[in-house]
Amino acid sequence: MRKLGLVALLLIGCSGNQISSGDDDAGSEVDAGSRVDDAGNVVPPVDSAVVVPPVDSAVVVPIDSGVVTGPRRDQVCMRWKNDRMNRSEGTFTGSIAQCQPGDVTAPGRANALKLLNMYRFIADLPAVTNDAALDVKAQACALMMDANNALSHTPPTSWTCYSAAGAEAAGKSNIASTAGVEAMDLYMNDRGNATTMGHRRWFLSNSLGPVGLGSAPDGSCAWVIGGGGRAGKPWMAWPAPGPFPFEAMSAGGFGSTIDVTGWTVQSDNINLGSATVTVTDAGQARPVSVTQLGANYGSRYAIRFTANGWTSQAGHTYHVVVGGVTTPITYDVEMVTCP
C-alpha cells in the first residue's frame, strides 16, 4: 500500500529549538502580536476588529477557459469544477533505478499549480507562479523521496539518489509520498498533522510564491519556504469565509473530513495564543475543541478547531467568532455544493 505521509516545515526566521531553514532568528526579538517583514522592520499588530461580510457582488475571475463573470458563489464552484477537471500527473521522464530526476511532462506540473491556485482563490489569496530553477531542485527532491520510500526534510548523504539540490529542496518543501497533483488535496486536508497543520498553512501563507514543484510516481516536493509573496491579509481561515465548496471538506482526507482534521485560522500579526472559538448554525451552537498550533508554519500564529458531535452540512452557513484576541475575527462559511 502506498504511503501517504506528509511532513511540514517551519517558517524561516523562527526562534527556539524547532527545525528551521535559514539562519535568521529575528523573530525572537519581536513583541507578541507583531511580526518582522523581509526588510527587518517590526510590523505592529492590527488593532481594529476584522469582520468579513458575505460576498455577493459580481466578480471577474480568469480560468483556463477564459474570463467569466458572476456572483462569488458561481465563481467558486466554477473554479472547483474546472480546475479539477484534468488532474493528470503527466509522465515522469526520469529513472528511479538510475537516479535520474528527469521531469514531468505536461500537464502534470501545470495541474498541480492550478490546484494550488484554486485553493488560494477560494481563500481570497492571490495566485502564485512556479520558478523553473526551484522546479529543478524540487524534482531532485521528489526523486529522493521516491527512491528511498521515505520522507525527510533532512535526508542523509547515505540516501539512495542523494543530491545537494534535492536535499536543499527537502528542507524547504512540503513533501508527500504521492505524485504532485494528488498531493495538493492531501496538503489542504492535512490529515495527521494536528499540532501544526503546516502544509495547509504554507499554501495559505501571505508570503508564498514563487513555488517549485517536483513529482515522481511515489514522491513529490512543493518548495514553499523563502517566498516573496505580499498578500497582506490580516488573517486566513480554512474553510474560507464566503461560499465554500462542500466537496472540499472531504477532498484528500481518505475518509477524514476537515471537521475531523480541523478548521484553521492563521495570522502573521494577530496573536491567537488565547483565542476562543464559537460556531453557530442558524443560531444554534455547534461546540468545538480548540488547539493552539505550532508557531511559524507559514504564519506566526494559528489555531485549529474540530467539531464536537456534529458535521458540516451542505446548504448551511456557519457563523464563526474568534474571541480572546485583541483583534476579534468574525466570518461566515456558506457550504455550497459544486456538482
Side-chain angles (χ1 to χ4, degrees), residues 33-111:
S34 299
R35 65 185 176 87
V36 173
D37 64 19
D38 287 350
N41 301 310
V42 176
V43 180
V46 179
D47 292 326
S48 59
V50 181
V51 179
V52 176
V55 181
D56 295 321
S57 58
V59 292
V60 179
V61 181
I63 58 173
D64 285 353
S65 57
V67 177
V68 293
T69 61
R72 173 71 176 178
R73 174 173 178 160
D74 294 347
Q75 294 308 316
V76 165
C77 280
M78 182 72 74
R79 288 294 297 263
W80 180 260
K81 292 186 290 186
N82 283 15
D83 291 357
R84 298 177 66 81
M85 193 173 298
N86 180 357
R87 284 178 277 172
S88 167
E89 298 283 0
T91 301
F92 175 60
T93 65
S95 169
I96 305 299
Q98 297 179 21
C99 289
Q100 296 176 354
D103 204 351
V104 285
T105 63
R109 181 172 289 113
N111 283 344

Side-chain angles (χ1 to χ4, degrees), residues 100-128:
Q100 296 176 354
D103 204 351
V104 285
T105 63
R109 181 172 289 113
N111 283 344
L113 182 64
K114 181 170 59 178
L115 288 182
L116 168 54
N117 281 328
M118 174 201 71
Y119 281 121
R120 286 180 64 83
F121 168 78
I122 294 170
D124 194 29
L125 285 161
V128 297

Side-chain angles (χ1 to χ4, degrees), residues 3-8 141-142 144-146 148-156 159 170 174-178 187 199 218-221:
K3 290 172 56 183
L4 297 173
L6 302 169
V7 184
C141 172
M144 290 167 58
M145 302 303 147
D146 192 325
N148 292 276
N149 191 31
L151 298 175
S152 174
H153 288 302
T154 56
W159 259 28
N174 283 348
I175 56 180
S177 54
T178 69
Y187 292 141
H199 308 98
D218 292 301
S220 57
C221 302

Side-chain angles (χ1 to χ4, degrees), residues 44-317:
V46 179
D47 292 326
S48 59
V50 181
V51 179
V52 176
V55 181
D56 295 321
S57 58
V59 292
V60 179
V61 181
I63 58 173
D64 285 353
S65 57
V67 177
V68 293
T69 61
R72 173 71 176 178
R73 174 173 178 160
D74 294 347
Q75 294 308 316
V76 165
C77 280
M78 182 72 74
R79 288 294 297 263
W80 180 260
K81 292 186 290 186
N82 283 15
D83 291 357
R84 298 177 66 81
M85 193 173 298
N86 180 357
R87 284 178 277 172
S88 167
E89 298 283 0
T91 301
F92 175 60
T93 65
S95 169
I96 305 299
Q98 297 179 21
C99 289
Q100 296 176 354
D103 204 351
V104 285
T105 63
R109 181 172 289 113
N111 283 344
L113 182 64
K114 181 170 59 178
L115 288 182
L116 168 54
N117 281 328
M118 174 201 71
Y119 281 121
R120 286 180 64 83
F121 168 78
I122 294 170
D124 194 29
L125 285 161
V128 297
T129 60
N130 61 301
D131 178 272
L134 298 183
D135 289 341
V136 170
K137 294 180 179 181
Q139 190 64 29
C141 172
L143 169 70
M144 290 167 58
M145 302 303 147
D146 192 325
N148 292 276
N149 191 31
L151 298 175
S152 174
H153 288 302
T154 56
T157 56
S158 58
W159 259 28
T160 301
C161 301
Y162 178 90
S163 68
E168 180 187 7
K172 297 185 177 181
S173 298
N174 283 348
I175 56 180
S177 54
T178 69
V181 178
E182 181 182 358
M184 295 296 119
D185 285 345
L186 305 183
Y187 292 141
M188 291 302 295
N189 180 278
D190 227 353
R191 180 171 63 107
N193 288 282
T195 61
T196 65
M197 304 300 288
H199 308 98
R200 181 192 299 171
R201 288 165 62 189
W202 271 114
F203 275 7
L204 300 183
S205 174
N206 278 320
S207 66
L208 187 68
V211 298
L213 300 172
S215 180
D218 292 301
S220 57
C221 302
W223 186 304
V224 293
I225 283 185
R230 297 292 185 272
K233 287 178 68 69
W235 55 271
M236 288 73 72
W238 197 260
F244 185 83
F246 181 68
E247 294 79 1
M249 294 296 290
S250 57
F254 295 92
S256 294
T257 70
I258 292 174
D259 286 332
V260 176
T261 61
W263 297 40
T264 52
V265 176
Q266 65 189 75
S267 177
D268 295 326
N269 55 14
I270 301 174
N271 190 336
L272 299 169
S274 300
T276 61
V277 178
T278 59
V279 178
T280 55
D281 174 9
Q284 298 297 310
R286 295 290 181 257
V288 296
S289 296
V290 181
T291 303
Q292 300 296 322
L293 298 177
N296 300 311
Y297 289 79
S299 65
R300 182 165 188 179
Y301 307 106
I303 56 172
R304 162 184 175 263
F305 52 100
T306 54
N308 285 342
W310 60 279
T311 57
S312 299
Q313 302 294 319
H316 290 229
T317 297

Side-chain angles (χ1 to χ4, degrees), residues 318-330:
Y318 298 92
H319 183 63
V320 181
V321 177
V322 180
V325 293
T326 57
T327 308
I329 299 170
T330 302

